[in-house]
Amino acid sequence: MNSRAITTNVWFWLSLAALIVLGVFILYPLINVLASSFGAARADGRSGWQILLAEPKYLRAVSNTVLLGLVVTLTTTLIGVPLAYVTARFRFPGKALIAILPLTTLIVPEVIAAQTWLMMLGNNGLITRTLGGWGIPVPSFYGWSGLIIVMTFIYYTYIYMGTLAAIRGFDQQLEQAAQSLGAAPGRARLDVMLPVVLPAILASALLVFTLVVGNFAVATILGHKVELLSVITYQTFVSEIGNDPVMQSTLASVSIGIVAIALFVQRFVLSRGRYEITLGRGAKPVDIKGAPAFALAGAAAVVVLISLLPLASVIAGAFTRARGPVMRWGEWTTANLERVLINAPDPIINTLIYAGIATALSLIFSTGVSYLLVKKRNALTPAIDYLAALPLALSGTVIGIGLVMSFNQGWLSLTGTAAIIVLAYLIRRLPFGVRNASSTLYNIPNSIEEASISLGVPPLRSFVAVVLPLMIPAIAAAGVLVWTTTVAELSASIVVYSGGRETLPIQIFRLIDSGLMAQASAYGLVLVSIILIPIVVATTVFRLDIFGAK
Amino acid sequence: MGGISIEDVSVSYAGNRVIERLSLTIPNGSFFTLLGPSGCGKTTLLRMLAGFLPVESGRIRFGETDVTETPPHRRDIGMVFQDYALFPDKTVFDNVAYGLRARKRDEATIRRKTGEYLERVGLSGFEARRPAELSGGQRQRVALARALVIAPRLLLMDEPLSNLDAKLRVQVRETIHDLQRESAITTVFVTHDQEEALALSDAIGLMRAGKIEQMGPPGEIYAAPVSSYVADFVGAANVVAIRLAGGVEAGGPARFRLANQDIAARAVSWLNEGEAWLLARPEDILLLPTGSGSGLAATILRRQYLGSRTHYRVRLGDDGPVLTVECTGADHARFAPGESVEAVLEPARTLVAPR
């Protein structure tokens, strides 16, 4: 018997097992969604696609969604790119404030961002009423203006971080070379730096576009009369008339299609100019003083303050007395928090349990899958790689609908269980976990494992003894990030959850819907704490580089 | 107990046949070097000996034991890697003790042996450090101690010196030489550096495209290369295209004309009439002032003074080939560019190889 053939086979069988798991829980639901959009809907026998093309409501939703995606991508780029450039190249008073930017997007879930903006600028908002009391009319925050403003301030940090990393990695010698050849400094920067940084900007812009298209929380809370794909997909799903599987599939398929087209366009643009980007020594930030420094510091401060507004208002809201939907600003109380912590703690407990299980499983599965992808390549691993990245292109609503359609009955009936919520969490965060573990594994040379094997330790024990310890800091950092994004998950879990299994974001969403902002803020404060505490512990006690892992 | 034998082995890597029916025997206790340019299959052969690459056909034996199907962790090998491959989270002591612990030695033995080998590589007192706190040379010494402390059946080294700077390379090379001679562990060493190969080896296998082109002790490889490839790869050699008027037996004198003058040289193998290569090492060519009457007329084109010696570029005749000549001894820099000289190619050390 050939023992080496057996060890080779062990990895092959593990790959096959991973592929089957991914196939059942990612590919099968996706195929279900796409396939059932071609089935006959309603009594008149029209397919979902025929109805889509016939009813203006649906077409408007498609065009509104694409338009919103484009506008927010543009506004986030306009804020994120200059901010990144300024941070990378200049030193000015208050620059340290900008360093907390990535943190704000992480710790404030979208549903809380939407809620807090409403508490300020909604019909009953603090600012609206204060200005109204002075006789200054404030235009309605619902609809386009609210959608664009809130999404811009939620998503610009993605562009900022992507661009910042690229500019910092840009070899300044290229710019100096261009100048030495006679190009003026500004011209040199544009000629040499832009082409190198552009792929990073495009990649983060695409990410923002897909996030906007898939956004559920802000779209539902602020969309109002603006029809958006994610909103009507969800409405079709929960509709009183009995849910409409064909139409929900059709609408979900459309959003998959929009993201697919965006991915294709990005690939096409990037492939037209391919460079090998050599990472070099980035430029040192230059001091600026005087009026320009104040202007820069001022502009940066405005951006940061607006980013921090949700955090400040959720804290204030949680401690503000309320009578029904009316907030009595200035009257402080702990009643809201007592209520959510003592009388109705179920959403908190649910969130901790579901997200805890999902985070643990996610780390184990993504570490294993990444090990196969990086160290034990075989005929199956490209398919695993592709399937594990697929959820990136799917919105939470689509993943949720796919799961409900696929595991409602039959051999694996999960509807109504906690397992389907955990599964939704796992699938949504899988690409992130795998990418993170893979990049760590790429940095651990094969020779370390081989050295251990050559000294007489069998392969699996070698992995545990020498490779795993090296991965622990990265796994822990990834764990914190998976946790923070999982406890904030709304769009997939709201589709798959059943009564009594509300999580914090779901409960907050429902309270916002009923206009009970104070209680929503109290739950929001708990949610932010659940997110923030692991981050603080990880970065200060264990000194983990969480944002480097991103 | 016999040495290491590789019998009729073929290896494919990513669909390409990298090693083609190669056979080789390495005597017990000897230091064997696989030398060759990158891509010649030397690392593949080493990884195959370690068991990290499966063989397609053929057998590998360590002494009487057939290890062809034995997985790497049961082959009883020690391995030293180009990038050191130290466990970064473990101390120097724990790195060296790793193999002993895997072999379940008692703690007292582990302590004694580890201490002994750290002393041998000159790193006593470094036990508590981590790899990041060591220089490149120190790291490779730890790796060497780690591989040797388990007294393996076979020591494998994959370009262990190539990440070190020139001075350290010589130092670590000497450590490797002394330790291997003391322990008499059969060693296979892979390198592309001919100087390392010549300095360390009992025998060198010079590889080319998955096959061994020439095998023998360093002196033989250097002085009697079997082909222009070997002559060119080991040491520097002038390789000049010539035409033979008739066939020559191996070892026999080959006569030919070069730059309109008659020359004789030793044939490395049986040669046919027609095109062949003339091989002459720079230090085997003697330059004399014009009028000595015993050499070929030549002109100095360029002079490079290197302290202990001088390198000249010399043209034979008026439009003949250009040769590199190395002169040592007193007055080695006495010829100036443009000067006419006579070049003497010693017949015994000038070779003709088939084209």
Side-chain angles (χ1 to χ4, degrees), chain A residues 3-4 447 450 452 454-455, chain B residues 47 68-69 77 83 98 103:
Chain A
S3 60
R4 202 172 309 111
S447 59
E450 289 176 356
S452 168
S454 77
L455 291 167
Chain B
R47 293 177 61 76
T68 317
E69 309 296 346
I77 49 169
D83 60 0
Y98 189 87
R103 283 164 174 71

Side-chain angles (χ1 to χ4, degrees), chain B residues 248-265:
Chain B
V248 191
E249 274 176 48
R255 294 176 195 288
F256 54 95
R257 282 183 74 77
L258 185 65
N260 293 322
Q261 294 162 84
D262 287 312
I263 309 194

Side-chain angles (χ1 to χ4, degrees), chain A residues 428-480:
Chain A
R428 282 214 77 185
R429 303 307 175 212
L430 182 67
F432 169 74
V434 170
R435 201 174 38 188
N436 193 292
S438 301
S439 64
T440 316
L441 275 170
Y442 274 118
N443 289 330
I444 300 175
N446 296 343
S447 59
I448 292 209
E449 206 174 338
E450 289 176 356
S452 168
I453 295 173
S454 77
L455 291 167
V457 179
L460 206 58
R461 263 176 53 206
S462 288
F463 171 75
V464 174
V466 302
V467 177
L468 208 54
L470 301 181
M471 292 180 72
I472 294 275
I475 292 177
V480 173

